[in-house]
Amino acid sequence: MRLTPTELERGIASMAKLAGQPGMDAEGTPPLEYEILDQAETRRRLPLVGETVAGAIFSPLDGHANPLRLFAGFHKALQQRGVHYLPHRKTTAIRHRAGAFELAGDGWRLGAGKIVLAAGIGNTALAPMVGLNVPLSPSRGQIIVTERLKPFLSHATGYLRQTDEGSVLIGESKEATIDHQRPRGPITAVLAERALRTFPLLREAKAVRIWAAFRVVTPDGYPIYEQSERFPGAFAFACHSGVTLAANHALVLPRQISAGALSEDLSVFHSRRFHVPAAV
């Protein structure tokens, strides 16, 4: 949903850009399905929407996962597959010896034949230990979570969605900083004000949690998938959003890691793209 005509126009331009990506017109590739809804049609489909909402863009391809249920599902799957989960172990050193890796931290060590660095913004410090480079752009966002409410929103929006348990997640802020993870009052106020304009019924809802976190965003916004040339067997991945790209991460990348090589079609996501001479 978009609160102003300008926001709606930007959304339309963004969808047109997605639909016009190379390969989207290839034979066998399904078209990007979406509809542009004016104010009246938006209100028809979502009667509780605010009067100032200018319109919306709907796609049947959009969806939403309850993050807490997803997190619990991941951990259950790890246990079922015999994965050893070792939290609260900050890695301070990675060494490569005799074809294997040794990870070490405060009072612990761990050996592995292959390693995958998927530590979010922590990759900027870990990657150089194995000859890799993961540049990231500072980006902090905030989230407001409300108490559980009666179902009123069956579609996920870019900045507001309701989980299957009834709580509403509100968040769309972007700050070019990673100075701290404390929520900022002025940002929270803007998020709340926009949410109330979108759905006035939220005026009576209580906020139960507010937090800030850092996005894993590269300088050009596209993922990094890379294996170390100096230390084969060490991989680094960075992207936003991991949920959107989960199918690729779960079904494609693990096989390639196991085989010891990333496919050629992933070479465009190598970090060397950030080192092209400015004159080129």
Side-chain angles (χ1 to χ4, degrees), residues 36-112:
I36 299 170
L37 312 180
D38 61 15
Q39 189 177 53
E41 181 60 18
T42 300
R43 179 172 291 280
R44 188 187 72 80
R45 299 193 188 189
L46 295 170
L48 297 177
V49 76
E51 294 182 359
T52 62
V53 172
I57 301 172
F58 169 75
S59 173
L61 302 176
D62 283 339
H64 167 61
N66 183 319
L68 295 181
R69 290 188 185 276
L70 181 62
F71 187 71
F74 280 151
H75 280 270
K76 183 178 180 179
L78 291 175
Q79 293 174 356
Q80 292 175 339
R81 287 161 175 75
V83 175
H84 296 285
Y85 176 57
L86 306 173
H88 310 301
R89 286 171 170 79
K90 182 179 180 179
T91 301
T92 57
I94 303 176
R95 301 180 181 87
H96 186 260
R97 296 175 179 173
F101 296 91
E102 180 184 83
L103 290 77
D106 186 13
W108 66 272
R109 293 179 184 277
L110 181 68

Side-chain angles (χ1 to χ4, degrees), residues 94-103 110-115 130 227-235 260:
I94 303 176
R95 301 180 181 87
H96 186 260
R97 296 175 179 173
F101 296 91
E102 180 184 83
L103 290 77
L110 181 68
K114 294 186 179 75
I115 59 173
V130 289
Q227 179 174 199
S228 174
E229 297 177 1
R230 289 176 54 194
F231 305 105
F235 299 81

Side-chain angles (χ1 to χ4, degrees), residues 6-171:
T6 299
E7 289 183 11
L8 183 59
E9 291 173 5
R10 289 173 181 169
I12 294 172
S14 178
M15 295 303 295
K17 182 178 179 180
L18 288 175
Q21 292 181 101
M24 290 298 290
D25 58 352
E27 184 177 352
T29 300
L32 179 60
E33 299 179 56
Y34 67 94
E35 300 176 67
I36 299 170
L37 312 180
D38 61 15
Q39 189 177 53
E41 181 60 18
T42 300
R43 179 172 291 280
R44 188 187 72 80
R45 299 193 188 189
L46 295 170
L48 297 177
V49 76
E51 294 182 359
T52 62
V53 172
I57 301 172
F58 169 75
S59 173
L61 302 176
D62 283 339
H64 167 61
N66 183 319
L68 295 181
R69 290 188 185 276
L70 181 62
F71 187 71
F74 280 151
H75 280 270
K76 183 178 180 179
L78 291 175
Q79 293 174 356
Q80 292 175 339
R81 287 161 175 75
V83 175
H84 296 285
Y85 176 57
L86 306 173
H88 310 301
R89 286 171 170 79
K90 182 179 180 179
T91 301
T92 57
I94 303 176
R95 301 180 181 87
H96 186 260
R97 296 175 179 173
F101 296 91
E102 180 184 83
L103 290 77
D106 186 13
W108 66 272
R109 293 179 184 277
L110 181 68
K114 294 186 179 75
I115 59 173
V116 178
L117 304 183
I121 63 172
N123 271 3
T124 57
L126 294 174
M129 298 181 188
V130 289
L132 291 167
N133 176 45
V134 180
L136 298 175
S137 297
S139 181
R140 181 175 61 201
Q142 291 185 198
I143 296 289
I144 302 173
V145 182
T146 73
E147 62 183 332
R148 296 176 181 177
L149 305 174
K150 292 181 179 181
F152 70 92
L153 180 59
S154 57
H155 305 292
T157 78
Y159 59 93
L160 192 153
R161 56 198 66 185
Q162 186 174 30
T163 70
D164 56 338
E165 296 174 320
S167 57
V168 178
L169 279 63
I170 304 165

